[in-house]
Amino acid sequence: MRVDVADPPKQPAKPTVKGVKGVKGLKPVKPPPRRQPHRALVGWISFAAALLAIGGLAGCLALLLVQQRHAAAQQARDQRFVDAAEQTVVNMFSYKQDNIDESVNRFYNGTSGPLRGMLGANNNIDNLKGLFRSTNATSEAVVNGAALEGIDTVTDNASVLVSVRVTVADVDGTNKPSMPYRLRVIVHEDDQGRMTGYDLKYPDGGN
C-alpha cells in the first residue's frame, strides 16, 4: 500500500536588494542637497570690487593730470623768466632819437631791486637820456639766445644767461659793426606774478 506524503511548504522568498543576495531591500541613500550660494552677497562683493578698481584707476588718472598740469605750469613760469630777461636786455640797448625818453622810461619801469636803485640814484635816468641824445645814433638789440640757469624758490629770483648782439647806426644811418654781449640777468617775480629785471651781471660774476 502506497502512502503519498505532501511536499513541505515553500518558504517565502526574502526580499533582496537588487544585485546583492541576502540583503533586505532599502532605499538608496542620496547625498544631501547642495547649499545654494548667496547670490546677492556675491553680487555685492563683485560690485564693490569693480568700484574699487574703477576708483583706483580714476585716482591714477587724476594724479597724472595733476602732475601734467604742474609740469606745464612750471614750464610756463620758467619761460616767463627767460622772456623777462630778454626784454630787459633789449630795453637796455635799444633806442631811437625820436623816442629816447620812452625807451629809457620803459627800461627803468621794467626793473626792480638793486638795478632800479642804481638807475634811480644820482639822476642817472636823465644822464642816460642825455648820453643817448649826444650820440645822434640809434641802437638795436637782437637776442641770439637765452637759457635759464636756476630759480631761487626762497627769493623768487631766477638767473638767466642772455646772449645779445647790438648794432648802432649813426645819424646818416650807417651801421657800425655789431657788438656781442653776454649778460647774466637776475629776474624777480613779485607777489602779483610780475617779473622785472632785478640785477645785471657778467657771466663771470662781476657787475
Side-chain angles (χ1 to χ4, degrees), residues 88-95 132 139-141 164 166 181 183:
T88 298
V89 173
V90 169
N91 291 345
M92 180 174 64
F93 286 111
S94 299
Y95 65 89
F132 287 167
S139 177
E140 181 182 11
V164 62
V166 180
Y181 296 92
L183 298 169

Side-chain angles (χ1 to χ4, degrees), residues 36-58:
Q36 294 295 324
H38 297 284
R39 294 178 180 176
L41 179 60
V42 172
W44 278 110
I45 292 175
S46 299
F47 180 69
L51 285 181
L52 288 175
I54 294 173
L57 180 60

Side-chain angles (χ1 to χ4, degrees), residues 8-194:
K10 296 181 179 180
Q11 297 292 330
K14 295 180 180 181
T16 60
V17 178
K18 186 176 181 180
V20 181
K21 295 181 179 180
V23 179
K24 294 182 178 180
L26 297 175
K27 292 182 179 181
V29 179
K30 297 181 179 180
R34 297 179 61 184
R35 295 182 60 186
Q36 294 295 324
H38 297 284
R39 294 178 180 176
L41 179 60
V42 172
W44 278 110
I45 292 175
S46 299
F47 180 69
L51 285 181
L52 288 175
I54 294 173
L57 180 60
C60 292
L61 291 176
L63 179 60
L64 288 176
L65 288 176
V66 170
Q67 290 176 343
Q68 288 180 350
R69 289 178 181 176
H70 179 73
Q74 184 62 49
Q75 185 176 4
R77 183 172 182 248
D78 293 350
Q79 187 59 48
R80 288 178 59 227
F81 276 118
V82 174
D83 292 344
E86 291 181 353
Q87 192 62 55
T88 298
V89 173
V90 169
N91 291 345
M92 180 174 64
F93 286 111
S94 299
Y95 65 89
K96 294 180 180 180
Q97 287 298 312
D98 58 356
N99 68 352
I100 286 178
D101 287 342
E102 180 184 350
S103 297
V104 174
N105 290 338
R106 184 187 303 114
F107 172 51
Y108 178 71
N109 292 334
T111 62
S112 62
L115 181 57
R116 188 178 183 86
M118 183 270 293
L119 292 172
N122 302 319
N123 205 29
N124 284 332
I125 290 296
D126 289 337
N127 294 335
L128 184 60
K129 292 176 180 178
L131 176 64
F132 287 167
R133 287 191 178 95
S134 67
T135 63
N136 286 325
T138 61
S139 177
E140 181 182 11
V142 177
V143 174
N144 295 326
L148 179 67
E149 289 188 301
I151 300 175
D152 187 334
T153 57
V154 176
T155 61
D156 287 329
N157 287 349
S159 176
V160 182
L161 283 178
V162 179
S163 173
V164 62
R165 182 169 290 275
V166 180
T167 303
V168 177
D170 61 22
V171 67
D172 296 324
T174 303
N175 291 338
K176 296 181 179 180
S178 298
M179 297 294 295
Y181 296 92
R182 286 199 311 143
L183 298 169
R184 175 175 283 112
V185 184
I186 308 302
V187 179
H188 175 69
E189 181 185 29
D190 62 18
D191 294 337
Q192 287 72 42
R194 180 172 179 263

